[in-house]
Amino acid sequence: MQYGFGVDIGGTTIKIGLFSVDGDLMEKWEIPTNKTDNGKYILTEIADFINRTIETKGIEKSDVMGVGLGVPGPVNKNGFVSVCVNSLNVEKEFHQISGLKVKVGNDANVAALGEMWQGAGKGYQDVLMVTLGTGVGGGCVLNGQIVSGIHGAGGE
């Protein structure tokens, strides 16, 4: 069986889900967002959690197709997040820490894409979503594709 992890980094909690590649949620967890040193340890803690979960569940790392990581703020097409306390290439950094493939997107955009694929928007190719959490966000999917805009903040 092949798997994927979905991660939503929020202001107070990080939500992590283990999915089949068909989109079935197998298990989910919530861990506090560690804001120590301006969030310096967030990616490491997520990678450690996922790697421990893989080991605990007896999953072969090669059976994990990747990790989808939703982050608050604009994300450019190369996985670079420029509105973090320290700008960084989240995809590159997370891959180096975890050894797993990763794709990063704006949290509201990837939430809208997820709703189009397996949620309230299933069967539709155009979805507009408003997210409410620590902040307010917006995601837009047209013709089955995320509208990220020129600076990665299209839905916002």
Side-chain angles (χ1 to χ4, degrees):
M1 180 174 225
Q2 295 183 315
Y3 306 89
F5 283 89
V7 179
D8 176 30
I9 300 175
T12 49
T13 61
I14 297 167
K15 295 169 185 72
I16 302 171
L18 172 63
F19 295 85
S20 72
V21 292
D22 295 325
D24 296 319
L25 177 63
M26 301 175 76
E27 196 166 347
K28 63 183 178 178
W29 305 270
E30 204 169 290
I31 60 175
T33 304
N34 182 350
K35 298 177 189 172
T36 305
D37 291 336
N38 293 318
K40 179 179 178 179
Y41 307 104
I42 291 173
L43 294 180
T44 301
E45 288 184 2
I46 295 168
D48 289 347
F49 183 90
I50 289 173
N51 282 323
R52 279 193 315 273
T53 300
I54 289 169
E55 186 176 322
T56 302
K57 301 233 171 258
I59 298 171
E60 294 292 327
K61 206 166 193 176
S62 61
D63 287 334
V64 178
M65 302 311 299
V67 177
L69 195 59
V71 299
V75 179
N76 77 15
K77 63 183 177 183
N78 299 316
F80 189 82
V81 182
S82 59
V83 193
C84 290
V85 174
N86 298 310
S87 298
L88 63 117
N89 187 323
V90 174
E91 285 185 5
K92 181 179 177 184
E93 178 141 344
F94 189 81
H95 175 70
Q96 288 174 339
I97 296 167
S98 70
L100 296 165
K101 293 179 187 176
V102 64
K103 286 308 268 175
V104 176
N106 168 270
D107 54 358
N109 285 337
V110 297
L113 188 64
E115 287 296 330
M116 183 202 75
W117 183 43
Q118 294 291 337
K122 192 170 187 170
Y124 296 94
Q125 292 293 300
D126 302 324
V127 175
L128 183 61
M129 180 173 188
V130 175
T131 59
L132 302 171
T134 303
V136 178
C140 184
V141 177
L142 292 175
N143 295 320
Q145 301 293 313
I146 291 174
V147 177
S148 57
I150 193 163
H151 298 292
E156 306 289 58

